[in-house]
Amino acid sequence: QPVLTQSSSASASLGSSVKLTCTLNNRHSTYIIAWHQQQPGKAPRYLMKVEGSGRYNKGSGIPDRFSGSSSGADRYLTISNLQSEDEADYYCETWDINSWVFGGGTRLTVL
Amino acid sequence: EVQLVESGGGLVQPGGSLRLSCAASGFTFNTYAMSWVRQAPGKGLEWVSTFSGSGGNTYYADSVKGRFTISRDRSKNTLYLQMNSLRGEDTALYYCTKGDEGFDSWGQGTLVTVSS
């Protein structure tokens, strides 16, 4: 089954941009992934799907500040003009024929 | 607006059973896959089980296979998770989710605590 690898933490300043990475294992390097945001004490929220081509498709109501991209086995989530409410855990997710997998999550701190 | 409302969590002894429910509204329930995802205290997200949108295919994580059973009542727009032979490591917040190519909606979760 697929394996997703994420850095455990990231930080960036208020108003700046940050790019979070989710890496697929080699065998599943072409897979589509989804990004989810989990603010402290809240349920996760779906952000977008990102394809290997770099095309991305956001969920309803997700601000324009959030975008996706790809390079090889890496799938990215870029957040521009960081706001305090962007401080959260970010998880990537992918799926196979009969299983679903999450990355370990990246905790984003807004300085 | 999609709404997923979980219920049925609580405190249960090791070896016990519990049934979780997820009431769905705001979309055509019968056409979407539905899943359960859990989060142990202070840990990340873990997929538990999925019920396909069409047909009756069900899928389970190895950690729960043979102990948990997912089902859905299409007349009530409700998803269930029957959990048997519960263990301490099953302690988690259990979320109901919609979709199978990216979980695109999440409920607020119901807490299951397995402890003596």
Side-chain angles (χ1 to χ4, degrees):
Chain A
Q1 74 183 30
V3 176
L4 298 172
T5 302
Q6 299 181 253
S7 298
S8 59
S9 65
S11 62
S13 299
L14 195 67
S16 71
S17 295
V18 68
K19 191 174 187 179
L20 305 182
T21 304
C22 173
T23 302
L24 289 148
N25 58 314
N26 284 343
R27 183 177 172 185
H28 302 92
S29 63
T30 62
Y31 276 36
I32 299 169
I33 67 109
W35 283 104
H36 304 275
Q37 176 197 60
Q38 187 176 32
Q39 295 170 321
K42 293 191 173 182
R45 176 175 71 149
Y46 170 77
L47 295 176
M48 67 182 71
K49 274 195 289 195
V50 183
E51 300 176 17
S53 63
R55 182 174 143 179
Y56 64 97
N57 185 12
K58 292 195 295 186
S60 174
I62 303 304
D64 292 343
R65 304 184 294 106
F66 291 81
S67 62
S69 59
S70 288
S71 177
D74 292 334
R75 305 287 181 267
Y76 305 108
L77 172 68
T78 299
I79 312 172
S80 305
N81 187 21
L82 271 170
Q83 305 296 303
S84 56
E85 61 263 31
D86 298 332
E87 186 158 287
D89 293 327
Y90 291 85
Y91 294 93
C92 54
E93 170 219 340
T94 194
W95 50 92
D96 210 332
I97 296 172
N98 56 6
S99 64
W100 285 257
V101 175
F102 288 95
T106 297
R107 176 152 294 177
L108 175 63
T109 300
V110 178
L111 305 172
Chain B
E1 179 196 2
V2 173
Q3 282 204 316
L4 302 171
V5 180
E6 302 94 336
S7 60
L11 174 64
V12 61
Q13 291 188 337
S17 298
L18 213 53
R19 188 176 85 153
L20 306 183
S21 300
C22 169
S25 61
F27 64 101
T28 307
F29 181 73
N30 293 344
T31 62
Y32 288 92
M34 298 292 296
S35 302
W36 290 96
V37 174
R38 69 185 180 183
Q39 186 171 36
K43 303 296 184 183
L45 301 172
E46 179 190 15
W47 168 71
V48 173
S49 182
T50 294
F51 199 115
S52 65
S54 56
N57 294 326
T58 58
Y59 309 96
Y60 298 93
D62 288 343
S63 57
V64 306
K65 202 171 292 183
R67 300 188 299 123
F68 290 12
T69 302
I70 191 171
S71 61
R72 64 195 294 170
D73 185 330
R74 299 179 188 271
S75 67
K76 295 182 178 179
N77 285 2
T78 301
L79 179 73
Y80 301 100
L81 186 68
Q82 177 67 43
M83 304 186 295
N84 298 331
S85 303
L86 282 161
R87 306 166 180 167
E89 54 264 37
D90 296 318
T91 294
L93 192 54
Y94 284 73
Y95 295 104
C96 171
T97 68
K98 166 184 164 283
D100 57 0
E101 293 190 349
F103 299 132
D104 61 20
S105 297
W106 296 72
Q108 290 304 302
T110 186
L111 182 63
V112 172
T113 303
V114 183
S115 175
S116 54

mmCIF file of all heavy atoms in Angstrom, chain B residues 2-48:
data_model
loop_
_atom_site.group_PDB
_atom_site.id
_atom_site.type_symbol
_atom_site.label_atom_id
_atom_site.label_comp_id
_atom_site.label_asym_id
_atom_site.label_seq_id
_atom_site.Cartn_x
_atom_site.Cartn_y
_atom_site.Cartn_z
ATOM 1 N N VAL B 2 -23.506 19.800 3.587
ATOM 2 C CA VAL B 2 -23.258 18.458 4.099
ATOM 3 C C VAL B 2 -23.137 18.493 5.619
ATOM 4 O O VAL B 2 -22.432 19.350 6.172
ATOM 5 C CB VAL B 2 -21.960 17.882 3.498
ATOM 6 C CG1 VAL B 2 -21.600 16.563 4.163
ATOM 7 C CG2 VAL B 2 -22.098 17.701 1.986
ATOM 8 N N GLN B 3 -23.846 17.584 6.280
ATOM 9 C CA GLN B 3 -23.715 17.436 7.727
ATOM 10 C C GLN B 3 -23.527 15.971 8.064
ATOM 11 O O GLN B 3 -24.255 15.113 7.554
ATOM 12 C CB GLN B 3 -24.955 17.979 8.438
ATOM 13 C CG GLN B 3 -24.981 19.489 8.543
ATOM 14 C CD GLN B 3 -25.841 19.974 9.699
ATOM 15 O OE1 GLN B 3 -26.937 19.472 9.897
ATOM 16 N NE2 GLN B 3 -25.347 20.957 10.436
ATOM 17 N N LEU B 4 -22.543 15.708 8.912
ATOM 18 C CA LEU B 4 -22.281 14.362 9.413
ATOM 19 C C LEU B 4 -22.239 14.453 10.927
ATOM 20 O O LEU B 4 -21.410 15.191 11.480
ATOM 21 C CB LEU B 4 -20.951 13.836 8.873
ATOM 22 C CG LEU B 4 -20.813 13.770 7.347
ATOM 23 C CD1 LEU B 4 -19.378 13.433 6.943
ATOM 24 C CD2 LEU B 4 -21.776 12.755 6.774
ATOM 25 N N VAL B 5 -23.136 13.731 11.595
ATOM 26 C CA VAL B 5 -23.239 13.824 13.051
ATOM 27 C C VAL B 5 -23.058 12.433 13.648
ATOM 28 O O VAL B 5 -23.914 11.558 13.486
ATOM 29 C CB VAL B 5 -24.587 14.419 13.479
ATOM 30 C CG1 VAL B 5 -24.659 14.496 15.000
ATOM 31 C CG2 VAL B 5 -24.777 15.804 12.867
ATOM 32 N N GLU B 6 -21.938 12.274 14.353
ATOM 33 C CA GLU B 6 -21.627 10.993 14.981
ATOM 34 C C GLU B 6 -22.233 10.910 16.377
ATOM 35 O O GLU B 6 -22.411 11.937 17.057
ATOM 36 C CB GLU B 6 -20.118 10.787 15.090
ATOM 37 C CG GLU B 6 -19.344 10.833 13.795
ATOM 38 C CD GLU B 6 -18.794 12.209 13.490
ATOM 39 O OE1 GLU B 6 -19.348 13.199 14.001
ATOM 40 O OE2 GLU B 6 -17.792 12.306 12.753
ATOM 41 N N SER B 7 -22.502 9.685 16.799
ATOM 42 C CA SER B 7 -22.982 9.430 18.154
ATOM 43 C C SER B 7 -22.628 8.000 18.536
ATOM 44 O O SER B 7 -22.199 7.206 17.678
ATOM 45 C CB SER B 7 -24.493 9.651 18.247
ATOM 46 O OG SER B 7 -25.166 8.772 17.370
ATOM 47 N N GLY B 8 -22.792 7.690 19.819
ATOM 48 C CA GLY B 8 -22.601 6.325 20.277
ATOM 49 C C GLY B 8 -21.306 6.058 21.021
ATOM 50 O O GLY B 8 -21.100 4.955 21.535
ATOM 51 N N GLY B 9 -20.433 7.047 21.096
ATOM 52 C CA GLY B 9 -19.187 6.853 21.819
ATOM 53 C C GLY B 9 -19.406 6.771 23.317
ATOM 54 O O GLY B 9 -20.503 7.032 23.817
ATOM 55 N N GLY B 10 -18.359 6.384 24.026
ATOM 56 C CA GLY B 10 -18.458 6.307 25.484
ATOM 57 C C GLY B 10 -17.323 5.502 26.064
ATOM 58 O O GLY B 10 -16.368 5.151 25.373
ATOM 59 N N LEU B 11 -17.471 5.195 27.359
ATOM 60 C CA LEU B 11 -16.481 4.412 28.080
ATOM 61 C C LEU B 11 -16.891 2.946 28.061
ATOM 62 O O LEU B 11 -18.040 2.612 28.384
ATOM 63 C CB LEU B 11 -16.370 4.915 29.515
ATOM 64 C CG LEU B 11 -15.470 4.128 30.466
ATOM 65 C CD1 LEU B 11 -14.017 4.178 30.003
ATOM 66 C CD2 LEU B 11 -15.610 4.675 31.889
ATOM 67 N N VAL B 12 -15.977 2.079 27.681
ATOM 68 C CA VAL B 12 -16.263 0.644 27.618
ATOM 69 C C VAL B 12 -15.061 -0.121 28.135
ATOM 70 O O VAL B 12 -13.912 0.327 27.974
ATOM 71 C CB VAL B 12 -16.631 0.229 26.171
ATOM 72 C CG1 VAL B 12 -15.486 0.498 25.218
ATOM 73 C CG2 VAL B 12 -17.083 -1.221 26.103
ATOM 74 N N GLN B 13 -15.301 -1.254 28.752
ATOM 75 C CA GLN B 13 -14.212 -2.075 29.283
ATOM 76 C C GLN B 13 -13.532 -2.850 28.157
ATOM 77 O O GLN B 13 -14.158 -3.149 27.130
ATOM 78 C CB GLN B 13 -14.747 -3.053 30.318
ATOM 79 C CG GLN B 13 -15.224 -2.382 31.597
ATOM 80 C CD GLN B 13 -15.567 -3.391 32.674
ATOM 81 O OE1 GLN B 13 -15.858 -4.557 32.406
ATOM 82 N NE2 GLN B 13 -15.528 -2.939 33.926
ATOM 83 N N PRO B 14 -12.266 -3.190 28.347
ATOM 84 C CA PRO B 14 -11.587 -4.041 27.349
ATOM 85 C C PRO B 14 -12.369 -5.324 27.122
ATOM 86 O O PRO B 14 -12.868 -5.943 28.066
ATOM 87 C CB PRO B 14 -10.232 -4.327 28.012
ATOM 88 C CG PRO B 14 -9.997 -3.159 28.910
ATOM 89 C CD PRO B 14 -11.351 -2.779 29.436
ATOM 90 N N GLY B 15 -12.466 -5.692 25.841
ATOM 91 C CA GLY B 15 -13.253 -6.857 25.465
ATOM 92 C C GLY B 15 -14.709 -6.551 25.187
ATOM 93 O O GLY B 15 -15.437 -7.413 24.678
ATOM 94 N N GLY B 16 -15.136 -5.354 25.490
ATOM 95 C CA GLY B 16 -16.528 -4.960 25.301
ATOM 96 C C GLY B 16 -16.845 -4.541 23.875
ATOM 97 O O GLY B 16 -15.989 -4.593 22.982
ATOM 98 N N SER B 17 -18.098 -4.118 23.691
ATOM 99 C CA SER B 17 -18.590 -3.725 22.361
ATOM 100 C C SER B 17 -19.244 -2.360 22.424
ATOM 101 O O SER B 17 -19.698 -1.909 23.492
ATOM 102 C CB SER B 17 -19.624 -4.748 21.859
ATOM 103 O OG SER B 17 -19.051 -6.023 21.707
ATOM 104 N N LEU B 18 -19.300 -1.732 21.249
ATOM 105 C CA LEU B 18 -19.928 -0.419 21.118
ATOM 106 C C LEU B 18 -20.357 -0.271 19.670
ATOM 107 O O LEU B 18 -19.689 -0.796 18.758
ATOM 108 C CB LEU B 18 -18.917 0.663 21.484
ATOM 109 C CG LEU B 18 -19.343 1.957 22.158
ATOM 110 C CD1 LEU B 18 -20.160 1.679 23.424
ATOM 111 C CD2 LEU B 18 -18.124 2.794 22.514
ATOM 112 N N ARG B 19 -21.456 0.441 19.433
ATOM 113 C CA ARG B 19 -21.873 0.732 18.056
ATOM 114 C C ARG B 19 -21.948 2.230 17.849
ATOM 115 O O ARG B 19 -22.691 2.927 18.570
ATOM 116 C CB ARG B 19 -23.215 0.100 17.715
ATOM 117 C CG ARG B 19 -23.547 0.233 16.223
ATOM 118 C CD ARG B 19 -24.831 -0.470 15.811
ATOM 119 N NE ARG B 19 -25.998 0.379 16.039
ATOM 120 C CZ ARG B 19 -27.128 0.269 15.334
ATOM 121 N NH1 ARG B 19 -27.235 -0.636 14.366
ATOM 122 N NH2 ARG B 19 -28.163 1.047 15.625
ATOM 123 N N LEU B 20 -21.193 2.708 16.892
ATOM 124 C CA LEU B 20 -21.202 4.119 16.532
ATOM 125 C C LEU B 20 -22.179 4.349 15.380
ATOM 126 O O LEU B 20 -22.354 3.475 14.523
ATOM 127 C CB LEU B 20 -19.808 4.588 16.106
ATOM 128 C CG LEU B 20 -18.665 4.320 17.076
ATOM 129 C CD1 LEU B 20 -17.365 4.922 16.529
ATOM 130 C CD2 LEU B 20 -18.962 4.841 18.452
ATOM 131 N N SER B 21 -22.788 5.530 15.378
ATOM 132 C CA SER B 21 -23.696 5.926 14.298
ATOM 133 C C SER B 21 -23.249 7.253 13.717
ATOM 134 O O SER B 21 -22.639 8.074 14.422
ATOM 135 C CB SER B 21 -25.132 6.065 14.811
ATOM 136 O OG SER B 21 -25.606 4.865 15.347
ATOM 137 N N CYS B 22 -23.564 7.456 12.448
ATOM 138 C CA CYS B 22 -23.281 8.719 11.779
ATOM 139 C C CYS B 22 -24.497 9.079 10.931
ATOM 140 O O CYS B 22 -24.784 8.399 9.936
ATOM 141 C CB CYS B 22 -22.042 8.602 10.907
ATOM 142 S SG CYS B 22 -21.781 10.005 9.796
ATOM 143 N N ALA B 23 -25.202 10.117 11.348
ATOM 144 C CA ALA B 23 -26.372 10.584 10.599
ATOM 145 C C ALA B 23 -25.924 11.587 9.548
ATOM 146 O O ALA B 23 -25.282 12.590 9.883
ATOM 147 C CB ALA B 23 -27.372 11.224 11.551
ATOM 148 N N ALA B 24 -26.253 11.315 8.297
ATOM 149 C CA ALA B 24 -25.797 12.141 7.180
ATOM 150 C C ALA B 24 -26.954 12.924 6.574
ATOM 151 O O ALA B 24 -28.084 12.416 6.483
ATOM 152 C CB ALA B 24 -25.156 11.268 6.112
ATOM 153 N N SER B 25 -26.668 14.138 6.139
ATOM 154 C CA SER B 25 -27.672 14.951 5.465
ATOM 155 C C SER B 25 -26.984 15.941 4.540
ATOM 156 O O SER B 25 -25.777 16.186 4.643
ATOM 157 C CB SER B 25 -28.545 15.700 6.479
ATOM 158 O OG SER B 25 -27.752 16.558 7.267
ATOM 159 N N GLY B 26 -27.771 16.512 3.612
ATOM 160 C CA GLY B 26 -27.253 17.538 2.725
ATOM 161 C C GLY B 26 -26.645 17.010 1.435
ATOM 162 O O GLY B 26 -26.097 17.798 0.653
ATOM 163 N N PHE B 27 -26.714 15.718 1.205
ATOM 164 C CA PHE B 27 -26.214 15.135 -0.042
ATOM 165 C C PHE B 27 -26.915 13.801 -0.275
ATOM 166 O O PHE B 27 -27.602 13.285 0.604
ATOM 167 C CB PHE B 27 -24.694 14.937 0.011
ATOM 168 C CG PHE B 27 -24.212 13.957 1.055
ATOM 169 C CD1 PHE B 27 -23.861 12.654 0.717
ATOM 170 C CD2 PHE B 27 -24.116 14.325 2.387
ATOM 171 C CE1 PHE B 27 -23.420 11.753 1.670
ATOM 172 C CE2 PHE B 27 -23.680 13.440 3.360
ATOM 173 C CZ PHE B 27 -23.333 12.143 3.000
ATOM 174 N N THR B 28 -26.749 13.250 -1.463
ATOM 175 C CA THR B 28 -27.396 11.982 -1.800
ATOM 176 C C THR B 28 -26.578 10.845 -1.212
ATOM 177 O O THR B 28 -25.619 10.346 -1.822
ATOM 178 C CB THR B 28 -27.529 11.820 -3.321
ATOM 179 O OG1 THR B 28 -28.167 12.982 -3.864
ATOM 180 C CG2 THR B 28 -28.363 10.594 -3.654
ATOM 181 N N PHE B 29 -26.967 10.432 -0.026
ATOM 182 C CA PHE B 29 -26.201 9.476 0.780
ATOM 183 C C PHE B 29 -25.865 8.208 0.002
ATOM 184 O O PHE B 29 -24.751 7.690 0.095
ATOM 185 C CB PHE B 29 -27.014 9.146 2.035
ATOM 186 C CG PHE B 29 -26.356 8.180 2.985
ATOM 187 C CD1 PHE B 29 -25.273 8.582 3.763
ATOM 188 C CD2 PHE B 29 -26.836 6.887 3.121
ATOM 189 C CE1 PHE B 29 -24.678 7.703 4.655
ATOM 190 C CE2 PHE B 29 -26.244 6.003 4.008
ATOM 191 C CZ PHE B 29 -25.164 6.407 4.775
ATOM 192 N N ASN B 30 -26.818 7.706 -0.766
ATOM 193 C CA ASN B 30 -26.647 6.400 -1.401
ATOM 194 C C ASN B 30 -25.559 6.370 -2.458
ATOM 195 O O ASN B 30 -25.092 5.291 -2.823
ATOM 196 C CB ASN B 30 -27.969 5.955 -2.025
ATOM 197 C CG ASN B 30 -29.023 5.661 -0.978
ATOM 198 O OD1 ASN B 30 -28.707 5.500 0.199
ATOM 199 N ND2 ASN B 30 -30.274 5.621 -1.393
ATOM 200 N N THR B 31 -25.142 7.525 -2.959
ATOM 201 C CA THR B 31 -24.206 7.531 -4.076
ATOM 202 C C THR B 31 -22.758 7.748 -3.663
ATOM 203 O O THR B 31 -21.865 7.752 -4.515
ATOM 204 C CB THR B 31 -24.578 8.613 -5.100
ATOM 205 O OG1 THR B 31 -24.496 9.898 -4.486
ATOM 206 C CG2 THR B 31 -25.978 8.388 -5.639
ATOM 207 N N TYR B 32 -22.522 7.927 -2.381
ATOM 208 C CA TYR B 32 -21.167 8.206 -1.928
ATOM 209 C C TYR B 32 -20.634 7.116 -1.006
ATOM 210 O O TYR B 32 -21.368 6.585 -0.174
ATOM 211 C CB TYR B 32 -21.109 9.539 -1.179
ATOM 212 C CG TYR B 32 -21.248 10.732 -2.082
ATOM 213 C CD1 TYR B 32 -22.500 11.291 -2.341
ATOM 214 C CD2 TYR B 32 -20.139 11.293 -2.694
ATOM 215 C CE1 TYR B 32 -22.637 12.380 -3.180
ATOM 216 C CE2 TYR B 32 -20.265 12.381 -3.532
ATOM 217 C CZ TYR B 32 -21.512 12.912 -3.770
ATOM 218 O OH TYR B 32 -21.633 13.991 -4.606
ATOM 219 N N ALA B 33 -19.338 6.831 -1.139
ATOM 220 C CA ALA B 33 -18.674 5.992 -0.153
ATOM 221 C C ALA B 33 -18.618 6.751 1.160
ATOM 222 O O ALA B 33 -18.522 7.987 1.183
ATOM 223 C CB ALA B 33 -17.268 5.637 -0.618
ATOM 224 N N MET B 34 -18.668 5.998 2.250
ATOM 225 C CA MET B 34 -18.592 6.587 3.590
ATOM 226 C C MET B 34 -17.558 5.814 4.399
ATOM 227 O O MET B 34 -17.414 4.596 4.229
ATOM 228 C CB MET B 34 -19.951 6.515 4.283
ATOM 229 C CG MET B 34 -21.057 7.285 3.590
ATOM 230 S SD MET B 34 -20.828 9.066 3.632
ATOM 231 C CE MET B 34 -20.934 9.404 5.389
ATOM 232 N N SER B 35 -16.871 6.530 5.270
ATOM 233 C CA SER B 35 -15.766 5.912 6.001
ATOM 234 C C SER B 35 -15.746 6.339 7.452
ATOM 235 O O SER B 35 -16.369 7.326 7.834
ATOM 236 C CB SER B 35 -14.423 6.304 5.365
ATOM 237 O OG SER B 35 -14.349 5.932 4.013
ATOM 238 N N TRP B 36 -14.960 5.587 8.224
ATOM 239 C CA TRP B 36 -14.625 5.960 9.594
ATOM 240 C C TRP B 36 -13.106 6.158 9.669
ATOM 241 O O TRP B 36 -12.337 5.333 9.164
ATOM 242 C CB TRP B 36 -15.047 4.874 10.579
ATOM 243 C CG TRP B 36 -16.527 4.749 10.730
ATOM 244 C CD1 TRP B 36 -17.351 3.869 10.086
ATOM 245 C CD2 TRP B 36 -17.379 5.537 11.575
ATOM 246 N NE1 TRP B 36 -18.657 4.059 10.480
ATOM 247 C CE2 TRP B 36 -18.693 5.078 11.394
ATOM 248 C CE3 TRP B 36 -17.150 6.583 12.486
ATOM 249 C CZ2 TRP B 36 -19.788 5.625 12.082
ATOM 250 C CZ3 TRP B 36 -18.228 7.126 13.161
ATOM 251 C CH2 TRP B 36 -19.533 6.652 12.954
ATOM 252 N N VAL B 37 -12.723 7.243 10.303
ATOM 253 C CA VAL B 37 -11.316 7.580 10.538
ATOM 254 C C VAL B 37 -11.187 7.893 12.027
ATOM 255 O O VAL B 37 -12.064 8.544 12.598
ATOM 256 C CB VAL B 37 -10.888 8.805 9.703
ATOM 257 C CG1 VAL B 37 -9.465 9.247 10.075
ATOM 258 C CG2 VAL B 37 -10.987 8.493 8.208
ATOM 259 N N ARG B 38 -10.122 7.448 12.654
ATOM 260 C CA ARG B 38 -9.969 7.694 14.085
ATOM 261 C C ARG B 38 -8.669 8.423 14.390
ATOM 262 O O ARG B 38 -7.729 8.438 13.579
ATOM 263 C CB ARG B 38 -10.048 6.393 14.878
ATOM 264 C CG ARG B 38 -8.880 5.435 14.687
ATOM 265 C CD ARG B 38 -9.139 4.135 15.445
ATOM 266 N NE ARG B 38 -8.032 3.184 15.295
ATOM 267 C CZ ARG B 38 -8.046 1.952 15.806
ATOM 268 N NH1 ARG B 38 -9.105 1.517 16.489
ATOM 269 N NH2 ARG B 38 -7.008 1.161 15.632
ATOM 270 N N GLN B 39 -8.656 9.013 15.585
ATOM 271 C CA GLN B 39 -7.487 9.763 16.039
ATOM 272 C C GLN B 39 -7.290 9.510 17.519
ATOM 273 O O GLN B 39 -8.088 9.977 18.344
ATOM 274 C CB GLN B 39 -7.659 11.253 15.754
ATOM 275 C CG GLN B 39 -6.437 12.093 16.052
ATOM 276 C CD GLN B 39 -6.588 13.516 15.546
ATOM 277 O OE1 GLN B 39 -7.673 14.103 15.576
ATOM 278 N NE2 GLN B 39 -5.490 14.086 15.056
ATOM 279 N N ALA B 40 -6.265 8.757 17.847
ATOM 280 C CA ALA B 40 -5.931 8.516 19.243
ATOM 281 C C ALA B 40 -5.461 9.823 19.886
ATOM 282 O O ALA B 40 -4.968 10.721 19.179
ATOM 283 C CB ALA B 40 -4.848 7.449 19.350
ATOM 284 N N PRO B 41 -5.593 9.952 21.196
ATOM 285 C CA PRO B 41 -5.213 11.204 21.864
ATOM 286 C C PRO B 41 -3.782 11.626 21.553
ATOM 287 O O PRO B 41 -2.841 10.843 21.735
ATOM 288 C CB PRO B 41 -5.370 10.861 23.351
ATOM 289 C CG PRO B 41 -6.378 9.772 23.376
ATOM 290 C CD PRO B 41 -6.152 8.972 22.138
ATOM 291 N N GLY B 42 -3.621 12.828 21.031
ATOM 292 C CA GLY B 42 -2.304 13.365 20.719
ATOM 293 C C GLY B 42 -1.622 12.756 19.500
ATOM 294 O O GLY B 42 -0.442 13.034 19.239
ATOM 295 N N LYS B 43 -2.349 11.946 18.745
ATOM 296 C CA LYS B 43 -1.757 11.254 17.589
ATOM 297 C C LYS B 43 -2.373 11.731 16.279
ATOM 298 O O LYS B 43 -3.239 12.608 16.260
ATOM 299 C CB LYS B 43 -1.963 9.736 17.726
ATOM 300 C CG LYS B 43 -1.390 9.149 18.993
ATOM 301 C CD LYS B 43 0.116 9.277 19.040
ATOM 302 C CE LYS B 43 0.694 8.589 20.273
ATOM 303 N NZ LYS B 43 2.167 8.776 20.358
ATOM 304 N N GLY B 44 -1.907 11.136 15.177
ATOM 305 C CA GLY B 44 -2.403 11.504 13.862
ATOM 306 C C GLY B 44 -3.659 10.745 13.472
ATOM 307 O O GLY B 44 -4.255 10.020 14.269
ATOM 308 N N LEU B 45 -4.061 10.947 12.222
ATOM 309 C CA LEU B 45 -5.273 10.328 11.708
ATOM 310 C C LEU B 45 -4.977 8.911 11.214
ATOM 311 O O LEU B 45 -3.926 8.643 10.623
ATOM 312 C CB LEU B 45 -5.823 11.161 10.546
ATOM 313 C CG LEU B 45 -6.170 12.612 10.884
ATOM 314 C CD1 LEU B 45 -6.521 13.382 9.617
ATOM 315 C CD2 LEU B 45 -7.304 12.673 11.890
ATOM 316 N N GLU B 46 -5.932 8.011 11.459
ATOM 317 C CA GLU B 46 -5.805 6.618 11.022
ATOM 318 C C GLU B 46 -7.107 6.181 10.364
ATOM 319 O O GLU B 46 -8.168 6.219 10.996
ATOM 320 C CB GLU B 46 -5.491 5.698 12.208
ATOM 321 C CG GLU B 46 -5.372 4.236 11.822
ATOM 322 C CD GLU B 46 -5.295 3.287 13.005
ATOM 323 O OE1 GLU B 46 -5.618 3.696 14.137
ATOM 324 O OE2 GLU B 46 -4.927 2.120 12.805
ATOM 325 N N TRP B 47 -7.036 5.746 9.128
ATOM 326 C CA TRP B 47 -8.204 5.204 8.461
ATOM 327 C C TRP B 47 -8.603 3.891 9.132
ATOM 328 O O TRP B 47 -7.751 3.063 9.457
ATOM 329 C CB TRP B 47 -7.901 4.974 6.985
ATOM 330 C CG TRP B 47 -8.944 4.160 6.293
ATOM 331 C CD1 TRP B 47 -10.221 4.554 5.967
ATOM 332 C CD2 TRP B 47 -8.832 2.808 5.862
ATOM 333 N NE1 TRP B 47 -10.892 3.531 5.349
ATOM 334 C CE2 TRP B 47 -10.069 2.442 5.268
ATOM 335 C CE3 TRP B 47 -7.818 1.858 5.905
ATOM 336 C CZ2 TRP B 47 -10.297 1.172 4.743
ATOM 337 C CZ3 TRP B 47 -8.040 0.597 5.375
ATOM 338 C CH2 TRP B 47 -9.275 0.268 4.797
ATOM 339 N N VAL B 48 -9.929 3.701 9.315
ATOM 340 C CA VAL B 48 -10.452 2.510 9.978
ATOM 341 C C VAL B 48 -11.207 1.607 9.000
ATOM 342 O O VAL B 48 -10.921 0.425 8.886
ATOM 343 C CB VAL B 48 -11.384 2.905 11.149
ATOM 344 C CG1 VAL B 48 -12.066 1.674 11.743
ATOM 345 C CG2 VAL B 48 -10.607 3.670 12.214
#
